[in-house]
Amino acid sequence: MGDYNHSMRNQFERSNLYGGQSFIIGGVDSQDSHLSNVPYADGAAFNSRLQDHESQCLPDTRVDLLQQIVTWSNDPSGACIFWLNGAAGTGKSTIARTVARTWANQKQLGASFFFSKGGGDLGHATKFFTSLAAQLVYTLPSIRTHISRAIEENPDIFQRGLGEQWKYLIFQPLSNLKEISLQSSVLVFVIDALDECEGQDDTRLMLRLLAEAKNVIAIRLRIFITSRPETPIRFGFRTMPASAHQDFILHNISLPIIEHDISIFLKCELQKVQEENCLTEEWPGANVIKLLCQRARGLFIYASTACRFIKDPLWDSDESLSLILKDAYVGQSPTRDLDEMYTRILIHTMILGDRHKRNLGRLNDEFGRIVGSIVILFDILPLTALAKLLDMPVKTVGVRLRCLHSVLDIPENQEFPVRLLHPSFRDFLLDQERCLDPQFFVHEEKAHEHLFVCCLKVMSKHLHRDMCNLRRSGARINEVKDDEIKNCLPHDVQYACLYWVNHLQRSSVELCDNDRVHIFLSAHFLHWLEALSLIGKISDGVLIVKALESTLLCNPESANSDLRMMMYDAKRFVLLNRSIMEAVPLQIYSSALVFSPGMNRIRCRFWGQAAQWIKNKPAVQKDWDPALQSLEGHSKGVSAVAFSPDGQRLASASLDRTVRLWNPSTGGSCGALEGHSDVVTAVAFSPDGLLLASASLDRTVRLWDPSTGASRGTLEGHSDYVYAVAFSPDGQLLASASFDRTVRLWDPSTGASRGTLEGHSDYVKAVAFSPDSQRLASASFDRTVRLWDPLTGASRGTLEGHSDYVYAVAFSQDGQLLASASGDRTVRLWDPSTGGSRGTLRGHSDYVRAVAFSPDGQLLASASSDRTVRLWDPSTRASRGTLEGHSSPAYAVAFSPDSQLLASASGDRTVRLWDPSTGASRGTLEGHSGYVRAVAFSPDGQRLASASDDRTVRLWDPSTGASRGTLEGHSGYVYAVEFSPDGQLLASASFDRTVRLWDPSTGASRGTLEGHSDYVYAVAFSQDGQLLASASGDRTVRLWDPSTGASRGTLEAHSGYITAVAFSPDGQLLASAFDDRTVKPLTYRESGSQSTTSLCLLNVNGHWLRLGTENILWLPPDYRAQCQSVRHNTVAIGHTSGRVTFIELDLDIIPHVGESFRIQLPTEGLTKMQHQIYDEHRLALSDDR
């Protein structure tokens, strides 16, 4: 839990002894603030508070094994990993603590992490590598600078995937150590109970990453791991080279050796009992020790539990010993004696412990509610939080637990967590074949149902809007102090928010309309998202919502239920808004609600909670479009996308020279792969998902390990740009296509060249293998598709028909069809066996850049420079829909392996995820068919004018969004519009080199002003309306009389394109901006005396609508500004899609934002504003030139 399991910034002090010196995790000095925010899993270290009462190996026990481990760590040629595996209760953790202490005393311990199922951050991998890094800062001071620099250069590293965290926080800092004294040093990581880490994929990934320890040169890094021999872990070790790990199976040690060690342990522990209770020196006797050893059956957990029970001061030691030594249980189970001991302890403590025996029914009920909950919790909780969650008095819970110290760790401080002493106790209570007494058997489904109901009650009681009293809609989560979050969202509430659906899924509860879940979500869905945002768990929320929807989908009776439809809308809502909800909690009630489709149930149910300061909400589409979410992170256009074979990762290639990995389920970034020195043009996963190939304009192909981000080699040989890569389905070959007019084949396992295919007479743009790996198709700018035998390199035919460059090819899943995409705006289908044409798909209005078949063969997707993705039925060639949303050309498309997702890459720097099954049309506002370049309000605010690349000016009613006419006449892009001060004229500037005047009330033309010899970029009226200025690419500003159209002069003061022009309010100055990044005042005097202007600084800056410098409303990708205009409290935003959005605000009621942002600006302040105008025009200009 984000709040309870403290990070370093909580300043939670914890002593940790390394060679007699203590350090404090969290007590970071002020010299390095980056390290103060490293997330740390409380209790991870071997000597943390949670490990205080855990034992270590006694002298003369585990002698041979401990010596073998020490020898391994000091062997320069030894394996980098030692895996100690054994069954439950065989003493793995005790050995881990012992060797950790030994290495700490020798100053060889780098860090330790003791996993614990149900232990919050100790039960999963989220804070695994960050916790190791936090400890390394103190155990290896010389690494401090390297880790700090990594955080500074990668500020989002704590939100990235495990591979990125290992690379930047552990591997690279260790590799960068330069001290000569370290060359022969040993550094050991101790990782205990890896089997208790949730998530099999995470477990396998951690093992793959840790195996890279062998590649650390500066220091000899060793990894000591303990676990049960679970299948995922065994599989993880099998995929490593045998030389990378040394294994030891603990339960294979001969029984006499184990009994010898258990005997020493029993003698030591029982001697303490004898001394504390003044018993005779002979107590308990050799025969008793021998019998206990036999009962233990090689399980140290039996011996340790027996000793804890005998030592419990609540009971008589002899009586407890006699209870354990009662007649042996008859049975064949290897845990029979352990099970019998657990049963006897429970009977003695919970039943016989109640001397009056009058409330056995209530005692049994309370045992089930309290202990039954503890053993199935997904996170450890303090006793007080547990009591609140169960809605029971703290005193009652404390009394019922005080007799169970032999099986539970129950701290005296009730603010510390209660936890199991050993997982075998959980296994016993939940297994009816082991726990034979029905009084204690915990029915897992019923226990989960009970906790599910408790979670709903806690959330319903505590959740509400703005729980931390942030007030400001733009307040970021990193501005909120941890203590404030903890006070507003205590441990029990955080637990409920995170795990209520986990308990629901493991119960027998059937969901239906108007049940507990439906009622809760209808009242608190947004409040729940806010709580998850505050505790940094929005990505978890995405998975929780998806899990809830999956639960409903599994129930046929819920097909038409309101709850099921609500959960579909909830999933779309969180996917669309994940990034902003993660960073700015209160945007849930403003941006997320306001911009969500008008008919979705989340908007309809919670519309009353939408920000009231947004008076006139923007027009939005009616229903969800096929785009599930936009993935933002690249700093330039995205050129290609590819899903991993298991659908768990999405890779994107970009003009920013990087490859990014994403989690398509949540939209979260999993890291960036850097190494190419030029644009990355293509990416492809190997069939087994273990390799990722990327192609680049740097003329190379790079291979990567997608799980770790490590480079696996660079393939060199092409003499020009490499534009495409593809693995053969059998994984034996990798093909690359290049502008050197060849296709090259490579062995991906070795990087060796396997041949060069020559034959095209122009650039080769794409390659694709047939499903059986027997054919390779290549597409070329020579307007042909060629087929090859990849094994021999022989040509198998040339497919001709396209009238322009061929950009892409793709085989259908069954190999019966080949699709090709061309600059002739068509997709062609071919029979690859005969080369015959199977049809032409027409519909795109610009180059078709990419094609992809869905894995189920039902759809074909094509991406085009017309900014759309089209879906087709490949069998009938019928159109199945057009996906609109990108604001720049779409360069690539890829289906997920299950055909449920479609990813598209665009020059607008985003990757969009779509639901290809719906193909629902977008509910867009009617308007322009090209970029909207400028918008302007009339002086009275009754009209808005917009200028567009579609060569028109449109007039709108800003109060309703209704169109009020289209002004046609320009023969080129219209780049600017401006109303005269009296609102009687409208001027428009165009790339057709003219300025046109219009009557905005009738739409009639009032004249054309000709004289410029290049594009006209801007127009401006003087304050009295007597002059009109126009700025042009011909390096002049022209002055006109707007009433007659007569020229009043030409100002030549620039040496480059003039992109903006404005009169000062007093009419004394005319300023112009141009492309050499300067703004120059031009002297021109007009009558007027106004010296200041009152401005309300409502503005659009990047992704935000701002008031002054305060972010108030986040703009989703589809609503970002190509241009903007503000009048009073209304902003009009023009979009590249051709739409115009109006937003009217009530500035007086925006929390914490009001009159302080209404300021008086002197006229000289306008020069700075002109710089801003220049920057906006410069940005737009760069898109066109």
Side-chain angles (χ1 to χ4, degrees), residues 18-30:
Y18 283 79
Q21 297 180 345
S22 67
F23 70 88
I24 297 174
I25 295 176
V28 180
D29 62 50
S30 58

Side-chain angles (χ1 to χ4, degrees), residues 474-488:
R476 301 185 72 85
I477 188 63
N478 56 15
E479 299 174 23
V480 190
K481 295 180 179 178
D482 290 341
D483 288 342
E484 293 177 15
I485 296 175
K486 182 177 178 180
N487 290 334
C488 299

Side-chain angles (χ1 to χ4, degrees), residues 232-531:
I233 297 175
R234 286 189 284 111
F235 177 80
F237 277 106
R238 278 204 304 268
T239 59
M240 289 184 199
S243 60
H245 59 97
Q246 178 177 333
D247 305 344
F248 190 96
I249 302 174
L250 197 55
H251 51 266
N252 282 356
I253 298 177
S254 65
L255 188 58
I257 293 176
I258 298 176
E259 287 186 342
H260 167 268
D261 293 346
I262 291 176
S263 174
I264 292 176
F265 172 79
L266 288 169
K267 289 175 182 177
C268 179
E269 293 298 307
L270 294 180
Q271 183 179 354
K272 296 176 186 177
V273 176
Q274 179 254 321
E275 293 172 352
E276 290 172 2
N277 293 276
C278 300
L279 301 174
T280 64
E281 291 187 4
E282 293 77 18
W283 188 92
N287 290 335
V288 170
I289 298 291
K290 183 178 180 180
L291 183 56
L292 287 172
C293 285
Q294 292 173 350
R295 295 277 181 88
R297 294 173 175 263
L299 297 178
F300 271 85
I301 186 57
Y302 179 96
S304 60
T305 303
C307 290
R308 277 193 297 269
F309 180 56
I310 295 168
K311 288 192 295 183
D312 194 328
L314 290 176
W315 316 111
D316 178 79
S317 302
D318 279 317
E319 185 179 339
S320 299
L321 182 58
S322 298
L323 180 68
I324 293 173
L325 294 176
K326 240 177 170 179
D327 294 338
Y329 173 73
V330 178
Q332 299 302 315
S333 168
T335 61
R336 66 191 187 195
D337 291 296
L338 179 63
D339 298 342
E340 178 64 13
M341 181 174 64
Y342 279 145
T343 302
R344 291 175 181 177
I345 290 174
L346 291 176
I347 291 174
H348 187 73
T349 56
M350 298 301 293
I351 306 301
L352 298 181
D354 181 40
R355 306 294 185 188
H356 302 290
K357 303 180 184 180
R358 291 178 300 196
N359 299 305
L360 293 183
R362 191 185 75 184
L363 285 173
N364 290 338
D365 176 64
E366 290 176 350
F367 175 86
R369 291 170 63 191
I370 299 170
V371 180
S373 295
I374 290 173
V375 299
I376 64 166
L377 283 174
F378 292 100
D379 194 358
I380 50 177
L381 287 173
L383 189 146
T384 51
L386 177 64
K388 290 178 183 177
L389 180 63
L390 299 177
D391 194 22
M392 297 177 70
V394 174
K395 182 178 179 180
T396 300
V397 176
V399 168
R400 294 296 165 251
L401 293 180
R402 70 181 179 184
C403 301
L404 295 174
H405 284 274
S406 57
V407 289
L408 297 175
D409 179 13
I410 308 162
E412 292 183 12
N413 187 333
Q414 294 183 343
E415 295 304 317
F416 282 87
V418 177
R419 64 189 186 98
L420 297 174
L421 285 171
H422 197 271
S424 62
F425 184 57
R426 176 198 297 116
D427 300 339
F428 162 73
L429 289 179
L430 297 178
D431 189 340
Q432 198 165 11
E433 294 184 358
R434 293 180 59 184
C435 184
L436 301 177
D437 192 324
Q439 297 177 100
F440 307 118
F441 168 65
V442 176
H443 192 289
E444 193 167 1
E445 278 191 352
K446 291 181 179 178
H448 279 295
E449 180 176 351
H450 172 63
L451 275 179
F452 156 66
V453 173
C454 289
C455 288
L456 285 187
K457 288 181 178 178
V458 165
M459 290 190 293
S460 298
K461 179 180 178 181
H462 286 86
L463 300 186
H464 58 86
R465 179 172 174 162
D466 196 7
M467 283 163 278
C468 286
N469 196 31
L470 303 180
R471 298 195 64 195
R472 291 169 35 244
S473 64
R476 301 185 72 85
I477 188 63
N478 56 15
E479 299 174 23
V480 190
K481 295 180 179 178
D482 290 341
D483 288 342
E484 293 177 15
I485 296 175
K486 182 177 178 180
N487 290 334
C488 299
L489 295 168
H491 306 324
D492 55 308
V493 181
Q494 290 193 39
Y495 181 91
C497 289
L498 284 172
Y499 299 113
W500 67 279
V501 172
N502 296 71
H503 289 299
L504 168 66
Q505 289 183 307
R506 288 161 177 77
S507 72
S508 58
V509 173
E510 294 285 342
L511 298 178
C512 62
D513 284 351
N514 302 313
D515 65 358
R516 286 189 178 98
V517 172
H518 197 185
I519 293 169
F520 167 73
L521 291 173
S522 297
H524 296 292
F525 177 67
L526 295 189
H527 306 149
W528 173 65
L529 291 179
E530 181 190 338

